[in-house]
Amino acid sequence: LVAIALVAMLMLFVGVKDRNLDTNTWAWLRALSFLFTDTDAVTITPVWSLRLEVGLYMFAALAALIFLAAGRLRIILLVFAASLFAVYCWRLSFGGLGAALFAAGALAAIFLARLMNIRPVWIFVFIALALSLPIAWPTLIDDSSISLIYQGLLGIPLALGLVALAHVKTAGQSWIARLALASGGWSYTLYIIHIPIVIALTSTIPFGSGIGQRLGMLAICLLTANLVAVAVARIAERPKFFARLIRHALMRREVPADKTASIPVVLENSSSS
């Protein structure tokens, strides 16, 4: 929601250079479906990406339903999910690629216990080799079908990288190491929200074209985007107020009379933890 609000403010007060985009009600309604056009403001990366990811969450839920269903219901759900996924990939050019990366992360989570036996140093070597392949074969990062296959397969080393991070312990680490590990707490927010911030900064501040000026622009964009991401992550994504409401609602849940004797102990442990 914050990313969408930033995109709206960007279009209304700053605009996007060389692009005349629609910000009317119909343009935003088209963002909620596969009916968007190239002239809609919602084609700016954050909103486009949100639709891509929300679709993947929906397909993850459908996959769980298909796994749990049986008989005719499973067939119906499978046909429905396959048809919807075909439309999804047709309207969102990176739909299939996003699904591949999403699936790699899911498989890493499912097989985490086994993958944890791999030494992190071998994982990092594998990641370095995978990411360095385009140096020898530049065609791996163009818009060809081979490039899309390569980018989809990158989900494997990236997912293993997350497994390697599970080995890392924060105890005894330097403040720089702790900061690097903590950056995962706002990395998703940064990914969603950085595009409108960068566009707004580069559109309003007259940066020059020299190498020093470009590096200064990069530093300002990095710092500003991270500060905004940290603020949004702490305020909008992890609000303690809502956590307290949820805990309060759970503690007020009615229980059978024969189990009431254990309730004070449970509540005391819950509040202390």
Side-chain angles (χ1 to χ4, degrees), residues 206-260:
F207 292 104
S209 58
I211 183 65
Q213 295 163 319
R214 293 176 67 84
L215 289 175
M217 174 191 69
L218 176 62
I220 292 175
C221 288
L222 281 173
L223 179 62
T224 305
N226 273 280
L227 290 176
V228 173
V230 171
V232 173
R234 291 185 63 86
I235 296 172
E237 293 185 11
R238 301 182 179 182
K240 294 182 179 180
F241 173 74
F242 294 106
R244 293 193 189 100
L245 286 180
I246 293 172
R247 293 193 186 100
H248 184 68
L250 290 174
M251 287 189 293
R252 288 176 58 89
R253 186 177 58 187
E254 293 184 2
V255 294
D258 58 345
K259 296 183 179 181
T260 54

Side-chain angles (χ1 to χ4, degrees), residues 11 18 29 41 52 58 60 66 73 84 88 90 102 107 120 123 152 174 187 191 201 210 221 236 241 249 257:
M11 292 307 305
D18 300 327
L29 289 176
L52 181 76
M58 181 177 63
I66 293 171
L73 178 59
L84 196 61
Y88 175 82
W90 169 54
F102 200 80
L107 290 173
I123 293 178
S174 65
S187 59
Y191 156 66
L201 289 174
C221 288
F241 173 74

